[in-house]
Amino acid sequence: MKPLQALIFDVDGTLADTERDGHRIAFNAAFAEAGLNWHWDVALYGELLAVTGGKERMFHYARLHAPALLARPEFDNLVRKLHTLKTQHYVHLVQAGKLPLRPGVARLIYEARAAGIRLAIATTTSPENVAALLRASLSPESESWFEVIGAGDIVPAKKPAPDIYDWVLARLGLPVEACLAFEDSENGLKASRAAGIPTLVTENDYTRGHDFTGALAVLSDLAKTTFADVQQIFNKSLSSR
Ligand code: XBP
Ligand code: MG
């Protein structure tokens, strides 16, 4: 049996650089559409990314900057409405081709498939966002390439909790030693490592400088990283486990 049997991909920041020019834009469009005078600029959004989950991020922002609104009984419903609007705007941005995959991601996925490696996704983002991104930026039928897609509210606790990775592993029916996770952030790496999964990090403008202790490797991107390179990184780590 091959040592490496499955790749488990994070989505936002890993498959594609979706936060600054995708989710952030969609949040601001939803706030404007709802007549709310919130605006998340690039720097502020980078700070808010410390909280995973769009709904959780809006609660976090309200705790810091809009305590009176947070205290209103209808705030929970407002957040749900805002998140629905935001997801609609985000999906439209993805469908318009505004969020291509990061360099080397598609090639790695094609090479892994050709090598018979099983594929999965473990993400905090909403399932409709994953479907839209795979269809628009990878291939119209590519959702079926991922045996397991764990996304959003399917688990009670989001990253850095390991829940989404545990959920995906249980459905893959594989031991952690046979899997390799791809992440972009400290929260994501904490989640995959808490689940016991060897992890390769590709950092981005929002996550450069995060604490990536425990990663097998930290790369700027996958532009020059073939599946053979990934296997070499994975196999090298076997001897030190
Ligand atoms: C990133 C997240 C998500 C997105 C927003 O997920 O934390 O919350 O920022 O998407 P990951 P939603 O890196 O695990 O892919 O608004 O749908 O949560
Ligand atoms: Mg991510």
Side-chain angles (χ1 to χ4, degrees):
M1 185 64 80
K2 290 174 286 192
L4 176 58
Q5 296 177 55
L7 303 184
I8 306 174
F9 290 94
D10 163 56
V11 174
D12 294 303
T14 300
L15 287 186
D17 222 342
T18 57
E19 295 291 1
R20 190 191 66 190
D21 300 334
H23 290 296
R24 184 182 69 88
I25 304 296
F27 276 114
N28 288 332
F31 300 153
E33 189 175 340
L36 194 59
N37 67 343
W38 293 3
H39 182 79
W40 291 354
D41 64 24
V42 173
L44 170 61
Y45 192 68
E47 292 164 21
L48 296 175
L49 278 172
V51 175
T52 64
K55 295 187 288 294
E56 296 82 352
R57 196 166 298 140
M58 286 187 273
F59 276 105
H60 172 64
Y61 175 79
R63 277 191 290 276
L64 296 175
H65 302 284
L69 182 58
L70 175 67
R72 287 196 204 152
E74 72 273 14
F75 186 68
D76 287 25
N77 283 337
L78 175 60
V79 166
R80 267 191 290 278
K81 179 187 155 198
L82 287 168
H83 199 252
T84 300
L85 290 174
K86 174 262 175 183
T87 301
Q88 288 164 358
H89 285 288
Y90 179 77
V91 167
H92 289 153
L93 281 170
V94 170
Q95 288 172 339
K98 305 280 188 203
L99 296 171
L101 297 185
R102 292 189 66 187
V105 168
R107 191 207 52 229
L108 176 64
I109 289 170
Y110 286 123
E111 289 176 347
R113 276 171 53 79
I117 298 295
R118 298 162 67 184
L119 301 177
I121 281 175
T123 176
T124 302
T125 198
S126 307
E128 47 273 57
N129 296 343
V130 181
L133 186 72
L134 293 177
R135 284 185 206 134
S137 303
L138 181 54
S139 164
E141 77 283 355
S142 59
E143 284 172 87
S144 64
W145 301 355
F146 296 84
E147 210 173 303
V148 182
I149 297 181
D153 297 330
I154 199 84
V155 289
K158 292 183 174 163
K159 299 176 184 176
D163 299 40
I164 198 69
Y165 278 105
D166 292 338
W167 191 92
V168 169
L169 279 168
R171 282 152 186 78
L172 281 172
L174 287 173
V176 290
E177 299 80 13
C179 301
L180 178 66
F182 289 77
E183 272 287 353
D184 71 301
S185 68
E186 188 170 332
N187 277 332
L189 178 62
K190 280 183 180 160
S192 61
R193 293 305 298 139
I197 305 171
T199 304
L200 194 155
V201 167
T202 50
E203 58 188 6
N204 53 55
D205 290 345
Y206 269 139
T207 66
R208 195 162 295 110
H210 278 196
D211 177 2
F212 292 130
T213 306
L216 292 190
V218 179
L219 308 175
S220 51
D221 58 45
L222 295 171
K224 299 188 180 67
T225 306
T226 64
F227 176 61
D229 297 326
V230 166
Q231 278 191 302
Q232 200 175 22
I233 293 169
F234 180 84
N235 293 338
K236 211 166 125 215
S237 76
L238 289 175
S239 49
S240 58
R241 279 187 226 169

